[in-house]
Amino acid sequence: MSSTELPSVSAASVLPRVAPVRVGEGERLRSVGLPGITLTMRSRPPVREGLPPALYVHGLGGSSQNWSQLMAEFDGLVDSEALDLPGFGDSPPPDDGDYSVTGHARAVIRYLDAAERGPVHLFGNSLGGAVTTRVAAVRPDLVRTLTLISPALPEIRVQRSAVPTALLGVPGIASLFTRISRDWTAEQRVRGVLGLCYGDPGRVTPEAFRYAVEELERRLQLPYFWDAMARSSRGIVNAYTLGGQHGLWRQAERVLAPTLLIYGGRDQLVGYRMAQRAARTFRDSRLLSLPDAGHVAMMEYPETVATAFRELLADTGELGKPAATGTGAGRTLRTVEAEGFGRGGAGGARGSRDGGSMRTVSEGKADDMNKGS
């Protein structure tokens, strides 16, 4: 048989057998085959019919499991699904090897078009924030609201603690790091990641830590793990350098959907100082600042994030609506700062339910905050 006669083989058909992915209580997993990609979807069965759909997109090195706590908070509010981006979680690599921000955005759009779930309430964290910003800009018909948690939007002065992650995109660095860290245990690796991503790693329960170790051990057995990390890191760096209409900040200006922005004051990967620029750039934005949160506020303070999202729905008239009625066209800015989260341990997060620890900050004061950042 000549090379031109060889049957096509997708990445999904040649994967090694590894331990199964953990499925939390009340969750279910399914695999969706689309042209060129296979996506694993994590969902919670809706408590009733007619709930508006929501889709969650994780960050670099993450998976759909990053959204489990927040999805549980939204039972009865939205019909939740979180995807594993190609090459992450339980999704195999894309057939074309495209790990760019555009490639990931194309995967999200391809799924939404095939599932006919749009328009959705779209959530993105870190890399997922860049991906969902691009989705909302180029396909406004698919997005009802946009919630961005520490989105990976271009920064002129990248934080020093974020440099090692960016360096993963440099050819050869991933393989070098693999050799250097060959003797590191999964527990050591997880502690390092938690220290980088959480404002207070002490908030992670022993059970959650054990699950994280088991998941990392599973993924380290996958031959494409480091390649997916390196190529996606390179994709973020490349997206930062794009100018013109394809630049992420330019696309942020084009987003029509009401947008909730959430930034952590202890974020070591996305600069807290970028919060005000983001609030000014997205035309219909609301900003929630969590001084004690790190890079994954939806995992550290799921109740607080859920409260802010409910307020977004109420503010935009989306609360309780089974179908979208339009997109936000007017430019508004509301900045909210959460006080005291983390100082009282878990009680701080629980106390946020009543909204008493959140205050509205005027636009003038927001400008003053920006000058001091």
Side-chain angles (χ1 to χ4, degrees):
M1 180 181 290
S2 66
S3 60
T4 58
E5 296 174 319
L6 286 174
S8 61
V9 179
S10 69
S13 65
V14 294
L15 292 179
R17 292 184 178 275
V18 296
V21 173
R22 178 179 177 273
V23 182
E25 184 179 353
E27 295 182 340
R28 59 188 177 190
L29 290 183
R30 65 189 178 95
S31 182
V32 178
L34 299 168
I37 55 172
T38 300
L39 299 176
T40 295
M41 307 298 301
R42 182 180 302 268
S43 63
R44 296 182 64 84
V47 298
R48 64 176 183 275
E49 295 293 328
L51 291 177
L55 183 68
Y56 309 79
V57 184
H58 63 80
L60 181 68
S63 75
S64 58
Q65 294 184 61
N66 294 166
W67 299 102
S68 290
Q69 296 175 76
L70 188 62
M71 289 198 298
E73 289 288 328
F74 289 154
D75 280 349
L77 183 66
V78 295
D79 182 357
S80 290
E81 279 192 332
L83 59 76
D84 288 332
L85 288 170
F88 292 93
D90 202 37
S91 292
D95 288 354
D96 60 4
D98 185 357
Y99 288 99
S100 66
V101 170
T102 298
H104 286 314
R106 191 179 296 120
V108 173
I109 291 171
R110 194 171 294 170
Y111 170 71
L112 288 175
D113 279 340
E116 298 183 343
R117 280 176 59 84
V120 299
H121 294 294
L122 190 59
F123 293 74
N125 168 235
S126 191
L127 164 63
V131 169
T132 53
T133 294
R134 184 149 291 174
V135 171
V138 301
R139 289 294 304 274
D141 59 303
L142 294 177
V143 184
R144 299 177 68 162
T145 65
L146 180 63
T147 298
L148 302 177
I149 302 171
S150 296
L153 300 176
E155 300 182 44
I156 296 177
R157 293 177 297 156
V158 178
Q159 295 189 103
R160 185 177 302 174
S161 52
V163 170
T165 302
L167 285 177
L168 278 178
V170 177
I173 293 296
S175 59
L176 175 62
F177 180 77
T178 302
R179 291 196 299 272
I180 293 174
S181 62
R182 184 181 297 112
D183 297 328
W184 294 6
T185 65
E187 288 84 354
Q188 289 173 318
R189 295 175 189 270
V190 169
R191 287 193 182 93
V193 171
L194 296 179
L196 187 64
C197 292
Y198 274 68
D200 177 11
R203 294 182 67 86
V204 180
T205 66
E207 181 182 46
F209 180 81
R210 185 175 69 255
Y211 290 151
V213 170
E214 292 173 355
E215 172 62 10
L216 181 58
E217 289 175 336
R218 183 192 71 82
R219 292 170 70 180
L220 285 171
Q221 298 178 52
L222 298 171
Y224 57 83
F225 173 77
W226 285 112
D227 185 59
M229 287 286 291
R231 289 175 181 263
S232 291
S233 296
R234 194 177 309 151
I236 296 175
V237 173
N238 290 341
Y240 276 28
T241 64
L242 287 177
Q245 64 178 349
H246 299 295
L248 284 170
W249 284 114
R250 182 68 64 85
Q251 292 196 322
E253 294 175 346
R254 293 167 51 189
V255 172
L256 299 176
T259 302
L260 172 62
L261 301 163
I262 301 175
Y263 282 79
R266 296 182 179 177
D267 194 331
Q268 299 181 62
L269 295 171
V270 170
Y272 190 52
R273 63 182 179 275
M274 302 306 295
Q276 294 299 327
R277 178 178 181 181
R280 292 193 302 269
T281 301
F282 288 88
R283 66 177 65 196
D284 187 0
S285 67
R286 294 139 187 88
L287 172 61
L288 175 64
S289 298
L290 298 177
D292 293 321
H295 192 61
V296 287
M298 73 285 189
M299 299 174 74
E300 285 193 273
Y301 301 104
E303 294 177 345
T304 307
V305 172
T307 296
F309 177 68
R310 289 189 183 93
E311 291 181 355
L312 170 69
L313 297 187
D315 190 39
T316 58
E318 287 280 344
L319 191 62
K321 283 190 177 181
T325 58
T327 54
R331 174 179 289 275
T332 62
L333 170 65
R334 188 180 70 178
T335 302
V336 176
E337 183 172 1
E339 299 176 318
F341 295 125
R343 297 187 181 93
R350 287 196 296 269
S352 68
R353 275 191 179 277
D354 60 12
S357 55
M358 296 201 302
R359 59 187 174 88
T360 300
V361 182
S362 67
E363 292 192 37
K365 184 162 185 180
D367 290 338
D368 292 340
M369 291 166 60
N370 185 55
K371 292 174 183 176
S373 64

